[in-house]
Amino acid sequence: MSRLDSHIRQKIAQRACIDLAAQWLAGEPGIIVEFGLGTGRSYSHLRQRFPRHDIFCFDRLDRAHPGSRPPADHLVLGEFSQVLADPANHTRFAGQVILAHLDIGNGTPEDDVVPELILDRVHGWLKPGAIVLSDLDLSLEPAWRLDPIDPEAQVEPGARYYVYRRLPD
Ligand SMILES: C[S@@+](CC[C@H](N)C(=O)[O-])C[C@H]1O[C@@H](n2cnc3c(N)ncnc32)[C@H](O)[C@@H]1O
């Protein structure tokens, strides 16, 4: 499979997983967070699928397309390690998140540690039943209370997007 084939499959799986999360979470009150705003492509899809929810995006840079940029008060800029060390962000989001979308992979060794760094800091933000979607596989810690869900029945077999659900308290 070429890298282009693999990229296309991943994007199709990403869209399918966001759509699944939107079905599962329909009508559920709470906040959505996205790590890895990039140019805002997945944000624009989240915006369409969750029109009534607040969506907060995190990235080190604002390079979003003007048509798919969150309002300034819904955009948190900085290195994840720094913004997730800020107690104000924990106060703001603790126990309120119904969906966390991680789209952070860049093909460097950072990919092996950054998703776990994020979950280690934000697992307390997740409501019971919350969904975590990730472009990178997570090495789960018991304290995070996340269960992997196999989306393959609904998503093209072998497609690479990872889905987890926060266990009930
Ligand atoms: C694959 S791109 C996101 C694509 C985006 N979701 C889209 O659909 O347009 C990954 C993004 O994660 C951000 N990122 C990766 N590691 C980061 C870190 N440690 N701190 C802050 N931002 C990071 C990068 O700046 C980049 O914009």
Side-chain angles (χ1 to χ4, degrees), residues 126-129 145 166-169:
L126 302 174
K127 291 177 76 167
R145 302 183 55 74
R166 165 69 158 75
L167 294 166
D169 283 332

Side-chain angles (χ1 to χ4, degrees), residues 121-141:
R121 308 278 161 80
V122 310
H123 65 90
W125 298 7
L126 302 174
K127 291 177 76 167
I131 299 294
V132 176
L133 306 177
S134 177
D135 61 328
L136 299 169
D137 202 0
L138 285 166
S139 298
L140 297 176
E141 291 291 335

Side-chain angles (χ1 to χ4, degrees), residues 58-87:
F58 295 72
D59 206 299
R60 57 166 63 104
L61 294 171
D62 177 5
R63 55 190 182 93
H65 185 281
S68 47
R69 173 182 287 125
D73 60 353
H74 284 55
L75 178 56
V76 184
L77 293 177
E79 284 298 310
F80 298 146
S81 56
Q82 288 174 5
V83 298
L84 296 177
D86 180 350

